[in-house]
Structures are given as C-alpha cells and as structure tokens.
Amino acid sequence: MYEGIAASGGIGIGTICVIAEHKLSYDTHKVSDIESEQKRFEEAISRFKEDTSAMAEDVKKRIGPKEAAILEGHLIMISDPAMSGEMGKKIAEGQCAEAAVEDVCNMYIDMFLGMDDELMKLRASDVADIKDSLLKLLLGIEEVDISKVPQGTILVAKDLTPSQTSKIVKENVAGIITEIGGKTSHSAILARALELPAVLSVPGATTLVKDGDTAIVDGSEGKVYVNPDEDTLSGYRTKREDYIRKQAELKNYLGKETVTADGVSLELFCNIGTPKDAKKAVECDGEGIGLFRTEFLFMDNDHMPTEEEQFAAYKEAAVTLGGKPVIIRTLDIGGDKAIPYLNMKKEDNPFLGYRAVRYCLGNRDSYMIQLRAIVRASAFGKVKIMVPLVTCVEEMRAVKEMVETIKADLDSEGVAYDKDIEVGCMMETAAASLIADILAKEADFFSIGTNDLTQYTMSVDRGNSDVAYLYSTFQPAVLRSIKHIIECGRNAGIPVGMCGEAAADPLMIPLLISFGLTEFSVNPALVLGARCVISKWSKAEADSLADKVMTLETEGEIQILLKEYEK
Ligand code: PEP
Ligand code: MG
C-alpha cells in the first residue's frame, strides 16, 4: 500500500495507464545513408499528418470546430513546402532527421516570437507543438492520448496539468494518482469537479506501477493498492458500494433550504470553471456561483478570448443562474497556471510573482476587455466582480476605477448593465487578512480563498509534497486569520463568503458557522454534503466547539477535537 494526499474522495478500482514524461534527447550525428534518413523523415511526416487529422476530426466532434482549427493549422504548416522542404534540405546535407526538425522549427519559433503581431507570436507555440510531435515520432515515443483511454483506467502521472486533466473523459477514468500536487492544486480541484477519486503526491508513483496493473485508489483516505489480493479487492468493492450509497442518500437534501439546526439561513454557492459548469451547479442545487474561475476560458484557447467571446461566456452563466448571484473572478494566471500564448516569463517563485491582479493591472488593455465583458453581462443576471490575490488597497481602488470608466463608456454607448454591480475582494493573502479592516471599506464583499490563504500564511507551496504537513487550514495561524477576516467584514457590514476548498470540509463547517460566515462556495458535487453538515449544527453548538478550538495550540490537537465532534 502506498500513501499520498487524499485529494478527491471516492474509491476507484481499475487498470493502470502510466502517462510517462519523455525527454526528447538524441545524438546529433552526421548521417551517411542519406536516402534512408530521408525515408525515416518522410514516414514521420506522413504519420504526423495522419495522427493530426484524426485528432482534429475527433476534437471537432467531441469539443467543437474552433478547437479543431488549431490542429488543422498544424497540418497546414507542416504541409507548407517551405517548412518540410527546409528540413529535407538539411537532411540532404547530412544532418540527422531529429536535428533537422529541431533546427528548422526553432528558426520558425524565433521568427514568430520576434514579430510584433500577437497572432503571429501565437504561431510560435504551434511550431513548438509540431516540433515535439515530430521528435516523438522520430524517436519512437508513443504518447498516451488521455481522451482515448478505455473504461476503468487509472491514470498515473508525475503531474497532470490542468489542460491534461481537462482532456479526461469522466466515464472512462476510474481514478488518478500523481507524484506531485496537493489538495488544492488545480488538478485536484478539477478531479473533484469530475468526481474522480484522486490520490496525489505518491512518491515515485510512475515507477511503482506499470501499464496493466490493477489498482485501488482510495481518494478519501489517500491510499493506493497495486495488484491487491482478493480480500483487499472485495473489501474495497464493498467500500465503494457504501460510498456510492451514501452519495445517493445525500439526494434527500436536493431542493432543501440551506439552514442550520437552529434555523439560521446560509447561502450555499458553487465554484465553476466554465459556463457549462453553471448548468451543473444548478442541477446540483447550488444557490448561486461563488467563484467563476475565468482563467479556464483563457487556458482552453489558442488566443486571448475577445470581448465578445468572454461576454458570451459570462452571459451564459448569468442566464443559466436565472437571477441568482454569479461572482466572476477576474483572470488569475501565474502561479501554477500558465497560458502559452501570453508568453509569460519563467519565474523563480511563480506563486510570489506576476500573478492574478498583479498581471492584470500590468496589462490593462486586456484587463479592460475582461472587465467590460463582465459589466456587460451584468445586464443578464446578478453578476458580481471579484478581484483575486489582493495584497493592498490600491489594487482594489485601481480595479474599481477601471470599472467606473467602463460604466461611463457603456452609458455613452447606450449599452445596458447593472448600475449597482458589486466589486468584491478575494481574501487569500496574509497581507489582505492583516488589512481586512481597510479593504472592507473598499470592497462590496469578501470571499476567503483558503487554498491560497493557507499557502501564504504558512509560507508553504500548495503543491509541494515535502511541506504538505504544514499545509493545513486547521493551523492555528490560518484559523485566526479566517476568524479575523470574517470579523472585519461583519464590522464593516459587508457579507463574507468562502470559496476555498475548506468551505466544504465537514470539520471546518461548524467553525465557519460560529465565526459568522454567510456564504459557502463549494464544488457542485459537494453542495449536498455541505448542506447536510450545516443542517446538523446549531449556532450555539458551533460556538461552544469554536471556543474550545481557538484555545488549542497545535493543528494536531485541533483536528483531533474536531473529529471527536464531527457530525
Ligand atoms: C483559493 O485560493 O482558495 C481559491 C479559491 O482560488 P484558487 O484555488 O483558484 O487559487
Ligand atoms: Mg486563490
């Protein structure tokens, strides 16, 4: 049995498929048999064309023509005699096929990057993709297509990037195991959204298993069994049935109000990444959207989404929610989320770097486009704006000023929008917590992002397994910070919600009820579980538990006490 971080609940039993990371290295050598090298190169080119057109067809059917166009663009490029002809010429001069491909592609990449036109710059990442694919073909490296794995597959990888995770076909994947990543890494969040059991940070996972092994992924306990004996297997089959039955029982909370045992009504919202998820949030009985992570709109694209594209997405979410609140968080890239076409600089400390509102305020033209699209969407529902990673009040003021300019522009253009659109502040940095009283005067609402608040309070990278033992929302420092933020918000008369993963944690919920949190925003799949836990606690009971918890000095003691009282 191997242990890791329990990142997404449930039990998966299935067959291992390892997503290997490959080094594309080769010996640069002079070729003597030029004819057979040319043949090897031509075979790779025709295989590339076949694979790419099959993939484009599949993407067109499964996702859409816009997404398929990227792959079709690759086909056009490689079919251009200038590119493949140049490669052929280098081979004729005695270069090996790998070096010819690499040299010519690098030349195109440099050329595109050197152009002023943003669209042309984007071509550089297309050429980089073509280069990787051709080198893999020449080196005989078979890539696993995540979107095509058979039913009952357990994916094992060093790490799954958000874009890899988004290729997963939920029906075919039984579980996920990775070597790195934590409970709040973005791949974990996506795994929970897909309701797939996931155990992350299993040291050496990709070398402990091989394709075809049978494995159990216990995403609730963070355990992995490889080729288990019959007793373990049948024990886990029963556990899996229990888990599924419990999930079914939660259906009793569908359509019910979110209310504590003593009748205090609370709001239970959902976190989403795309407008399509908004539908899921409604089906799962979410009472609003507490966090729309707009960066996925940017990441799943080959270009910066235009104002119209963004407007359509935000409007779709607003309309789907039919007048219930939709809190749209402005772009939060940087950290562990990169967008290739933005060509962001590689940073030594990405989580402390050019991320979220810092990037947006440094790139105001594109930020204006996003804010304008959100403000326009406010004509179609109860849309609110939320600013991520705030550390000082100037950032809130700058965003609000931009929103005011947009409102004035829309007024003069006669375009409709909600004149009372709110601008809220994400409370997810130690700095924001310390100046919560100041920020509360500037923000229409607070939403606590515990995933980052824990990271920045404890000074632990949220995805680093070596320091994961410190990454806990139950650390006294983090609990004090949460309590303080809620108090400051309440004192200023603004609502305080939480959209970090802790909002759905059954151990955390009584503390949040006691501190006075009024809005809980969780993964759609966790709405009914959170509603069930909330219904079991009265304010008085929660207060008495919170009083005890806040006197304790260690995270360990706090967890023990909370587990003792868990309902
Ligand atoms: C958070 O930090 O708690 C949060 C909700 O934002 P993200 O996980 O997207 O950083
Ligand atoms: Mg965050």
Side-chain angles (χ1 to χ4, degrees), residues 481-520:
S481 183
I482 294 172
K483 187 167 189 258
H484 171 72
I485 294 167
I486 299 173
E487 265 166 18
C488 289
R490 288 177 73 92
N491 288 342
I494 59 166
V496 184
M498 179 178 284
C499 57
E501 301 299 299
D505 190 326
L507 298 185
M508 184 60 81
I509 286 174
L511 300 182
L512 301 176
I513 293 174
S514 168
F515 297 161
L517 195 88
T518 52
E519 175 238 305
F520 295 65

Side-chain angles (χ1 to χ4, degrees), residues 352-501:
L352 301 182
Y354 204 35
R355 181 187 165 187
V357 70
R358 302 168 182 186
Y359 177 87
C360 288
L361 289 176
N363 291 274
R364 289 194 187 210
D365 290 350
S366 32
Y367 200 26
M368 263 313 215
I369 292 173
Q370 176 169 48
L371 289 170
R372 209 179 126 96
I374 301 175
V375 177
R376 279 175 58 201
S378 71
F380 299 87
K382 187 88 204 109
V383 168
K384 306 182 190 200
I385 297 169
M386 181 156 75
V387 189
L389 210 79
V390 170
T391 49
C392 57
V393 76
E394 293 91 319
E395 289 165 338
M396 279 304 290
R397 289 186 185 143
V399 177
K400 283 173 67 179
E401 222 170 86
M402 289 173 78
V403 171
E404 285 312 310
T405 308
I406 288 165
K407 284 178 168 179
D409 288 350
L410 294 177
D411 281 338
S412 63
E413 292 164 32
V415 177
Y417 66 93
D418 173 8
K419 296 210 178 334
D420 299 319
I421 186 166
E422 294 179 11
V423 183
C425 179
M426 266 198 91
M427 300 298 283
E428 53 180 349
T429 63
S433 173
L434 287 165
I435 57 160
D437 55 331
I438 302 175
L439 290 170
K441 286 188 245 159
E442 210 62 57
D444 294 314
F445 62 90
F446 278 166
S447 184
I448 307 175
T450 45
N451 308 341
D452 277 315
L453 186 65
T454 308
Q455 157 165 270
Y456 294 123
T457 304
M458 295 304 297
S459 306
V460 283
D461 178 337
R462 62 198 258 185
N464 183 335
S465 54
D466 292 337
V467 286
Y469 69 99
L470 283 171
Y471 184 85
S472 165
T473 323
F474 298 105
Q475 282 285 353
V478 184
L479 289 180
R480 285 181 192 205
S481 183
I482 294 172
K483 187 167 189 258
H484 171 72
I485 294 167
I486 299 173
E487 265 166 18
C488 289
R490 288 177 73 92
N491 288 342
I494 59 166
V496 184
M498 179 178 284
C499 57
E501 301 299 299

Side-chain angles (χ1 to χ4, degrees), residues 1-13 16 154-160 173-183 185 187-189 191-192 196-206 208 215-226 236 465:
M1 194 265 290
Y2 304 104
E3 280 189 273
I5 294 172
S8 176
I11 287 154
I13 303 176
I16 296 281
I154 299 212
L155 295 174
V156 183
K158 192 157 188 339
D159 189 18
L160 282 177
V173 174
I176 295 170
I177 305 167
T178 65
E179 285 183 14
I180 54 177
K183 213 178 174 110
S185 61
S187 45
I189 292 169
R192 282 194 289 279
L196 289 176
V199 179
L200 307 191
S201 278
V202 178
T206 52
L208 298 171
I216 299 169
V217 179
D218 182 344
S220 308
E221 297 287 330
K223 291 180 180 155
V224 171
Y225 298 82
V226 181
Y236 262 100
S465 54

Side-chain angles (χ1 to χ4, degrees), residues 325-350:
V326 178
I327 301 178
I328 303 182
R329 177 176 76 183
T330 60
L331 186 62
D332 180 0
I333 43 154
D336 63 347
K337 285 174 286 191
I339 298 181
Y341 57 80
L342 292 183
N343 295 317
M344 293 169 75
K345 265 205 318 249
K346 197 168 162 31
E347 296 180 303
D348 287 340
N349 286 305

